[in-house]
């Protein structure tokens, strides 16, 4: 078990930045954002519960170039993007790290794997910091995770008074520690710091754990509850864009005269034209179908396909939805009703 | 700038006054720099501030809107509405951080070929001094 | 630059020939060849599969491959002018370059139909996906029973693949072609029957035993055809159709084309009526 | 919509001198979307037009870009050519690479690069063009002529003869304008009123002409073929219908005042008619002069009038007329002497302008045709005429030549010499402009037969010295200073647009140039049309000109009006606004913007999926809309668009210009 | 405030009994302690859970677009009426929709309630340092009790942003007024925040906005919460012509915020919903504030937030200022 002094964190980040881009939580105009540190490596902060944008931003960025093409007088050639640089995300929360495993199911398993995501995952490392103080929106314990969970992270730092207890989870994490051994010290005291993080409870507790909800939801397609909450929904993409597990995207071409590029950007199933087809046919024309699609996908379809619920209880949609249409509300209501 | 910077300036010219003024400058062979590209619009009231923002985004370094003198508009009130829109749009663009010298509005009547050429030379001069506009411009 | 296993980057291909199917010009067939033979080799498509055609600078669209693997080159795509990408394609000239990736989706389970009678019911442009499996079965006619093709469209000029439906297919023994149009303008000579496809199907009433019905066409037509087939006592697993939903990535993770937990681009587009009944009715 | 043809014109040397036309058409050959690209010496010539037509037909082109001169010149020509070849004319766009590239840039390489980029951006615009079809709108076959001078009357008579009703509005109480004030007219010296009175009489009695004298146009709305004009008829305080024209009132009226018809050379009564041959021959009371209006007493005219038609309490009337076309013939005025400081600024009574000399020389004038000095009435022994007083003078802001002064000054000198054979007539001139038919011979006659002395040089100062006027000038041919004492000095002051012309222009929304003359649509090709469709120009309102030119121009304007009225409905320009009813939410933010009030809300049935839904949307009155496009900017969702200059077209043009 | 809720429920009962309304829109308790979320009741017993109190609530007017017609049917014909709970700022938003012909005033039953500033629980939690369990309000002083700490805060500090610059606290015209407003909220017009940005140099301003817009994730929550954004099909959803590309790049963000700010220029009722719903807290109020300040300065409009029959950009005066 190793130990990392809080004062050495900036040194560690500076050393890692030699061959990798460093992402860390920074305060920007009162908003905590996971952003790339360029040269000032002690710009990071620790007084946040969760960063507004999740670590999904690093592996599946909102805006990603798929390819560039040149089509001057009809000889078309297409160049795939240049290889990506190494990336290290510091200050990730356990729930976000767990979310990355869900995205792995989508992008890496199945008949086709997504080469962009695969390359970024291989070249990315997650240094997670356990949550000292989950707030009223967190419900990671409902998805048998905890403020101290280690799934999905390479290294987990457990904050103690002036140092972090370091737990290397994956061999990438071990290699990373070995490469910067001089910054870490080995920890002598083995008190139950790690255990009490793992057993820490969130204010909401587990009353949002879905349990066997996906079986019950199968025949809840026409439940009037969907209409009730959909009536409140404004139809903005807020909940889907802050959610670390949402992976829908749109492919669009950007032309500059004869050349251009094809990009992939996040898209939201809550938008009006997400399902609109040529000939103006829309299988989900009103907000009711779209709201149902969002929650059925998270709590039923994903479970059918990958046997895991597509939620990690990070609480972002609970905090950010202006009109209170979020998964915690749905789960609690559905559990009572069914 | 190693290679001499050639500004790319878009001019929206109203068909009845300024465009004819530009023709007048042409027929009297008045020279102005080749950095100006003129887009003919029926009236200065047709110019949507979004077009100006789109021009900056797509790579224009300066935008000039030329219309009839207030009171002379062929459609009677087009330039008054244009004036109101661009009174607000210029201030808002400056508020967003785009240099206010990059947008200019001029009243040029059909007979003022001389003024047209002079304004073009002046504007091209100011923009060349300002250099390329990298703000709100789209990435390659 | 030939091979890259990156799924989303299209391969370069050239349009060799463009044939107008309907006189009104809203359906054209594009004969397309890969520029790099190695990529063509990797692209072995089965009947009923689709490919993502990309018009660089405009976008991509999932189009079913209408040529059968038994007659591999060139690949044929029949495209109706509907949205942004398809209308851009309709403005293309021969020799222009497009992007292709795929093949995607499952295919008609032609091997399971060995020894069975096949009934193909197509409407308008809906014949395009069926044509690949029809030609496939005709090239292997000996392993199949009788083939009945019932095809209809709005008007005679809207019929696609005129050459095949009038000459080639009827000339093959064991293949019967029945054509119907909704209405004809005066002065147009038309000796085949007039009426909607579902009613026409009930007139011909193919026998359901040891038979498979495959249908594709506009959603309203499919609704009534399924009812007629039930009247003719075809069982649900005997009826196969291919669904037409918006597909954006074609590889199953852009979340666009899901019906329930099935993705049309991976688990479809070919579904049996039994599977469709189990899905939530949201397509 | 891909198959586009690009034609680059050499325009002789005009374009090809600074734009490499071959390089341009070569580069356009393989630009995406361009099917055919070629260059040609004179595209606007007939073989050029044939080339375009043939290429359209052979290759079934769907769009044409002509890179040549300004669209104001030949857009209609090339669009007509395309229409003849079966292509919708609004698929043709012009790139101006002459006035905006070759003529204004000297560096050939820059000009060519700019020309190529302009053509490419027009190709992008044509790609987004649509087929547009003109609309038919109803037409009121009635013309309004503003100004009752020789040009207004000629237009009125020509149009009335063609059988269409005419409304002739004149600001003075009688028609005749400036010509009625002239004595004789050059070059034939026939008396002005002899050739004018038949015309004024005919106008007075023509059944198709409604005379509205003493009136002015105060408001004009609507558009060509459907103007609504408001005319203010100022009160004459005499009921002209009852009045029999016996003019007893004029005789008996005690109050005398300056007659502005006589330009201060003669007097008139408070109630009077301007001159004996005036049409309508009815008196008018001048409110400022009449004693009754000032003090409430007198009323002699009321007592004297046999038919009792004096109406002191007459009010001004506003009349509204529906009009199909408007002809502006507002004529000219002379530059007031007060503005010429060096010639005495109007202080000296014996320094008069051309019109005052006309009145003195006119038989029906105050001096019955005898040329006398206005100060003491004596016959002047020597007269000095000064040409270009205020014209061709940059400091005074009037560099233009007033065209008619050379001729009428020669005429004045001849008239004087015919009356006072031994009188001395000296003319200071810069250059004699006598270009008309018989003009030069007329001036030679003045010099040889009537011994008028022509001194080439400008007059420096005119001042009064013990009762006589001293004229200081220089004779540039001999190079000496010249000092002449004269009894009378006549200034050929500059011709300026008539007072109120600028205001009339703004009422009719017709532009005027920097000097106040009305802007013609094209100096050479459309001299009688204004920039506003349906408004025509005739006479000195457009530029200084003599009577023969005025009459020919007036006949031209009348011909334009008659051709316009020859069809029973008008074809409107299809480049008007268009509403996409699927997107319009009916918020009507566009409605207050439209200057022609062409936008109205309407409830329409729209199919949404399987239900028909009632929606309120904005609709455009295609006849009223003139296509200014200001409403499309107010529309947030882009439902309101302008065909011909649509959002898509302008954006594509913009994008390709910024590449 | 408790009796206010009973008064409201009473009114709702008799509205439903008299078949006056087909739907009533109000507020009910949300998932967290002090969150109030919109509630829709089609009969009286569904409305029982509705409450009125001093905590921050979203604006309800935006839902009228969907409820009062098919998808944005527009003001076409009289239909069954919809009841709505309205404070001063709600009333401005409703007036915005009526002036824009999106809904007919006769299709509405406006129940006006008094308001002297709403409390933002998030600000209370921040001041307290932890999630407040109980918040009691009397006049100007607020007592917030968390598990560990409890503090007395004066109400000014935790007022909702829009309430600090409230344009209209009374409901000008309502069908039923539950209670007259006690004292008018005396608020001066302060554009200090806008002026602060104006003082920066152009370079700094661009940096400031580039930093803000780089955080924008283009979720359109600001557009979907704004009543001035009431188009049937938003220009950002139209692909031909594509005014805004889907790619999220700095220049596209400037384009998006420029177009949206321009569309609501002179029409924004300064309700502050856009700023409130933004997940990354971009100060959008500054953008609309800048337009409001300029309009009031240049076209001498005394309060640009109150919807006028013709919007400022829909008219002109001959003596509009000339200098740019």
């Amino acid at each position: 078990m190793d130990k990392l002094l809080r004062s050495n964190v900036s040194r560690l980040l500076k050393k890692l930045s030699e061959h990798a881009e460093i992402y860390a939580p920074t305060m920007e105009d009162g908003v905590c954002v996971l952003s790339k540190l360029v040269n000032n490596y002690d710009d990071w902060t620790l007084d946040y519960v969760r960063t507004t944008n999740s670590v999904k931003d690093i592996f599946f960025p909102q805006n990603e170039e798929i390819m560039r093409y040149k089509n001057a007088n009809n000889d078309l050639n297409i160049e795939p993007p240049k290889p990506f640089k190494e990336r290290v995300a510091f200050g990730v929360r356990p729930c976000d790290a767990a979310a990355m495993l869900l995205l792995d199911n989508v992008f890496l398993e199945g008949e086709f794997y997504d080469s962009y995501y695969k390359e970024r995952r291989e070249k990315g490392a997650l240094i997670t910091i356990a949550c000292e103080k989950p707030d009223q929106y967190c419900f990671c314990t409902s998805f048998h995770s905890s403020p101290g969970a280690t799934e999905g992270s390479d290294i987990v730092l457990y904050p103690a008074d002036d140092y972090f207890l370091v737990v290397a989870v994956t061999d990438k994490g071990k290699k990373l520690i070995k490469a910067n051994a001089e910054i870490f010290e080995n920890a002598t005291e083995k008190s139950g710091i790690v255990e009490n993080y793992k057993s820490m409870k969130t204010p909401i507790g587990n009353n949002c754990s879905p349990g066997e909800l996906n079986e019950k939801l199968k025949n809840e397609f026409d439940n009037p509850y969907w209409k009730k909450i959909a009536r409140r929904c404004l139809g903005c993409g807020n909940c889907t864009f802050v959610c670390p597990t949402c992976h829908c995207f749109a492919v669009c071409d950007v032309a500059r005269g004869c050349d251009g590029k094809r990009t992939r950007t996040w898209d939201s199933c809550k938008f009006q034209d997400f399902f609109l087809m040529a000939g103006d046919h829309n299988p989900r024309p009103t907000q009711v179908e779209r709201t149902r699609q969002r929650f059925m996908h998270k709590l039923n379809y994903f479970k059918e396909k990958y046997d895991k619920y597509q939620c990690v209880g990070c609480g972002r949609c609970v905090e950010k939805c202006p009109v209170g249409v979020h998964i915690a509300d749905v789960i609690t209501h559905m559990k009572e009703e069914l | 700038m190693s290679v001499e910077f050639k500004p790319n300036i878009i001019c929206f010219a109203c068909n009845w006054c300024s465009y004819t003024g530009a023709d007048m400058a042409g027929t009297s062979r008045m020279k102005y720099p080749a950095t100006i590209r003129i887009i003919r619009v029926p009236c200065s009231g047709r110019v949507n501030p979004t077009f100006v923002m789109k021009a900056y985004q797509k790579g224009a370094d300066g935008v000039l809107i030329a219309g009839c003198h207030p009171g002379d508009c062929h459609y009677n009130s087009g330039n008054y509405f244009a004036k109101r829109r661009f009174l607000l749009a210029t201030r808002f663009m400056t508020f967003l951080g785009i240099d206010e010298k990059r947008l200019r509005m001029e009243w040029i009547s059909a007979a003022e070929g001389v003024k047209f050429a002079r304004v073009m030379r002046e504007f091209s001069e100011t923009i060349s001094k300002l250099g390329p506009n990298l703000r709100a411009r789209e990435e390659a | 630059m030939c091979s890259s296993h990156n799924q989303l980057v299209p391969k370069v291909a050239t349009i060799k020939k463009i044939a107008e199917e309907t006189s009104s010009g809203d359906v054209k067939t594009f004969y397309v060849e890969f520029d790099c033979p190695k990529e063509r080799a990797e692209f072995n498509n089965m009947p009923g599969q689709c490919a993502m055609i990309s018009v660089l600078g405009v976008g991509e669209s999932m189009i079913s491959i209408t040529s059968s693997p038994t007659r591999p080159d060139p690949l044929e795509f029949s495209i109706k002018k509907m949205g942004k990408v398809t209308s851009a394609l309709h403005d293309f000239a021969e020799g222009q370059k497009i992007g292709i990736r795929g093949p995607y989706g499952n295919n008609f389970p032609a091997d399971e139909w060995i020894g069975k009678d096949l009934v193909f019911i197509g409407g308008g442009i809906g014949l395009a996906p069926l044509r690949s499996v029809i030609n496939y079965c005709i090239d292997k006619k000996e392993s199949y029973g009788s083939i009945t093709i019932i095809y209809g469209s709005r008007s005679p000029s809207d019929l696609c693949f005129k050459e095949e439906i009038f000459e080639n297919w009827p000339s093959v023994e064991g293949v019967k072609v029945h054509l119907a149009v909704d209405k004809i303008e005066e002065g147009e000579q038309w000796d085949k029957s007039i009426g909607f496809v579902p009613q026409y199907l009930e007139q011909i009433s193919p026998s359901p035993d040891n038979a498979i019905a495959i249908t594709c066409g506009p959603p309203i037509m499919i609704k009534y055809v399924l009812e007629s087939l039930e009247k003719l006592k075809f069982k649900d697993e005997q009826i196969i159709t291919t669904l037409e939903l918006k597909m954006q990535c074609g590889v199953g993770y852009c979340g666009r084309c899901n019906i329930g937990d099935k993705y049309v681009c991976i688990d479809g587009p070919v579904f049996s009526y039994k599977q469709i009944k189990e899905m939530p009715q949201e397509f | 919509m891909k198959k586009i043809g690009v034609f680059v014109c050499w325009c002789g040397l005009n374009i090809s001198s600074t734009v490499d036309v071959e390089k341009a058409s070569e580069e356009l050959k393989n630009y995406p979307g361009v099917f055919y690209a070629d260059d040609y010496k004179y595209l606007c010539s007939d073989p050029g037009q044939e080339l375009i037509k043939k290429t359209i037909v052979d290759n079934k082109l769907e769009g044409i870009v002509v890179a040549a001169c300004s669209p104001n010149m030949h857009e209609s020509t090339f669009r007509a050519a395309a229409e003849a070849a079966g292509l919708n004319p609004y698929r043709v766009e012009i790139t101006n690479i002459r006035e905006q590239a070759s003529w204004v840039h000297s560096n050939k390489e820059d000009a060519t690069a700019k020309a190529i980029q302009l053509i490419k951006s027009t190709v992008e615009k044509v790609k987004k063009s649509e087929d547009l079809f003109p609309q038919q709108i109803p037409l009121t076959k009635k013309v309004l002529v503003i100004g009752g001078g020789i040009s207004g009357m000629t237009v009125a008579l020509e149009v009335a003869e063609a059988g269409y009703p005419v409304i002739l509005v004149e600001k003075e109480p009688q028609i005749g304008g400036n010509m009625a004030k002239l004595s004789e007219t050059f070059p034939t010296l026939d008396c002005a009123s002899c050739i004018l009175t038949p015309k004024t009489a005919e106008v007075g009695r023509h059944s198709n002409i409604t005379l509205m004298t003493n009136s002015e146009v105060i408001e004009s709305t609507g558009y060509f073929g459907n103007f609504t004009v408001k005319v203010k008829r100022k009160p004459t305080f005499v009921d002209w219908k009852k009045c029999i024209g016996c003019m007893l009132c004029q005789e008996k009226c005690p109050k005398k005042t300056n007659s502005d018809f006589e330009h201060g050379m003669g007097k008139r009564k408070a109630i009077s008619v301007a001159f004996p041959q005036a049409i309508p021959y009815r008196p008018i009371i001048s409110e400022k002069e009449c004693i009754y209006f000032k003090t409430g007493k007198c009323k002699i005219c009321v007592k004297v009038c046999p038919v009792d038609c004096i109406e002191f309490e007459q009010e001004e009337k506003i009349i509204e007329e529906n009009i199909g076309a408007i002809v502006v013939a507002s004529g000219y005025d002379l530059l007031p002497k007060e503005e010429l400081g060096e010639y005495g600024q109007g202080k000296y009574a014996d320094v008069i302008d051309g019109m005052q000399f006309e009145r003195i020389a006119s038989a029906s004038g105050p001096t019955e045709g005898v040329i006398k000095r206005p100060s003491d009435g004596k016959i002047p022994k020597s007269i000095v005429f000064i040409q270009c007083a205020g014209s061709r003078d940059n400091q005074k802001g009037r560099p233009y030549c007033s065209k008619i002064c050379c001729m009428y000054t020669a005429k004045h000198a001849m008239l004087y010499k015919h009356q006072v054979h031994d009188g001395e007539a000296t003319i200071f001139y810069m250059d004699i402009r006598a270009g008309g038919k018989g003009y030069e011979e007329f001036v030679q006659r003045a010099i040889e037969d009537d011994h008028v002395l022509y001194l080439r040089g400008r007059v420096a100062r005119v001042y009064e010295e013990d009762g006589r006027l001293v004229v200081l000038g220089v004779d540039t041919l001999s190079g000496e200073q010249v000092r002449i004492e004269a009894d009378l000095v006549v200034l050929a002051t500059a011709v300026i647009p008539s007072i109120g012309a600028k205001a009339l222009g703004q009422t009719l929304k017709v532009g005027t140039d920097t000097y106040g003359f009305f802007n013609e649509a094209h100096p050479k090709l459309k001299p009688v049309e204004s920039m506003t469709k349906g408004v025509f120009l005739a006479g000195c309102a457009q530029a200084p000109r003599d009577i023969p030119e005025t009459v020919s121009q007036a006949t031209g304007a009348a011909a334009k009006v008659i051709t316009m009225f020859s069809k029973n409905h008008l074809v409107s320009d299809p480049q008007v606004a268009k509403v996409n009813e699927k997107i319009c939410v009916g918020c009507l933010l566009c409605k207050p913007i439209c200057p022609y009030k062409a936008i109205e809300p309407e409830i329409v049935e729209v199919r949404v999926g399987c239900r028909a839904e009632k929606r309120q949307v904005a609709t455009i009155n295609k006849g009223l809309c003139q296509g200014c496009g200001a409403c499309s900017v107010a529309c947030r969702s882009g439902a309101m668009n302008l065909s011909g200059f649509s959002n898509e077209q302008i954006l594509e043009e913009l994008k390709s210009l910024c590449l | 405030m408790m009796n206010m809720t009973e008064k409201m429920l009473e009114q709702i009962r008799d509205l439903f009994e008299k078949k006056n309304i087909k739907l009533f829109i109000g507020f009910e308790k949300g998932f967290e302690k002090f969150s109030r979320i919109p509630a829709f009741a089609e009969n009286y017993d569904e409305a029982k859970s509705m409450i009125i109190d001093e905590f921050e609530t979203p604006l309800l007017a935006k839902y009228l677009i969907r409820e009062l017609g098919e998808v944005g049917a527009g003001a076409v014909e009289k239909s069954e009426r919809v009841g709505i709970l309205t404070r001063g700022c709600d009333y401005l938003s409703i007036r915005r929709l009526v002036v824009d012909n999106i809904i007919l005033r006769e299709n509405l039953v406006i129940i006006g309630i008094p308001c002297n500033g709403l409390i933002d629980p998030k600000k209370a939690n921040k001041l307290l340092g932890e999630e407040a369990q109980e918040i009691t309000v009397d006049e100007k002083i607020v007592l917030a009790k968390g598990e560990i700490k409890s503090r007395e805060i004066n109400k000014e500090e935790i007022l909702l942003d829009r309430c600090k610059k409230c344009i209209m606290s009374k409901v000008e015209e309502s069908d039923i007024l539950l209670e007259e407003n006690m004292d008018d909220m005396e608020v001066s017009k302060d554009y200090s925040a806008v002026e602060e940005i104006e003082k920066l140099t152009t370079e700094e301003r661009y940096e400031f906005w580039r930093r803000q817009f780089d955080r924008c994730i283009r979720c359109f929550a600001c557009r979907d919460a704004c009543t001035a954004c009431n188009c049937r099909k938003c220009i950002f959803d139209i692909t031909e012509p594509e005014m805004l590309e889907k790619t999220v790049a700095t220049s596209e963000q400037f384009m998006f915020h420029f177009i949206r700010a321009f569309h609501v220029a002179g029409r924004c009722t300064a309700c502050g919903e856009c700023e409130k719903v933004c997940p990354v807290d971009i100060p959008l109020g500054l953008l609309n504030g800048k337009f409001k300040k300029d309009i009031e300065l240049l076209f001498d409009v005394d309060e640009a937030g109150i919807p006028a029959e013709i919007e400022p950009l829909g008219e002109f005066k001959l003596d509009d200022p000339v200098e740019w």
Side-chain angles (χ1 to χ4, degrees), chain A residues 25-34 45 48 50-53 320, chain E residues 212 215 278-282:
Chain A
T26 52
M27 288 308 271
E28 253 181 42
D29 303 297
V31 179
C32 181
V33 182
L34 194 71
T45 161
Y48 66 99
R50 66 186 75 76
T51 53
T52 316
N53 56 344
K320 294 295 176 185
Chain E
Q212 304 295 336
R215 280 206 316 274
C278 177
V280 287
D281 295 339
I282 298 176

Side-chain angles (χ1 to χ4, degrees), chain A residues 26-47:
Chain A
T26 52
M27 288 308 271
E28 253 181 42
D29 303 297
V31 179
C32 181
V33 182
L34 194 71
S35 61
K36 188 167 150 185
L37 301 184
V38 184
N39 33 38
N40 151 5
Y41 288 96
D42 36 33
D43 187 3
W44 52 277
T45 161
L46 269 191
D47 65 354

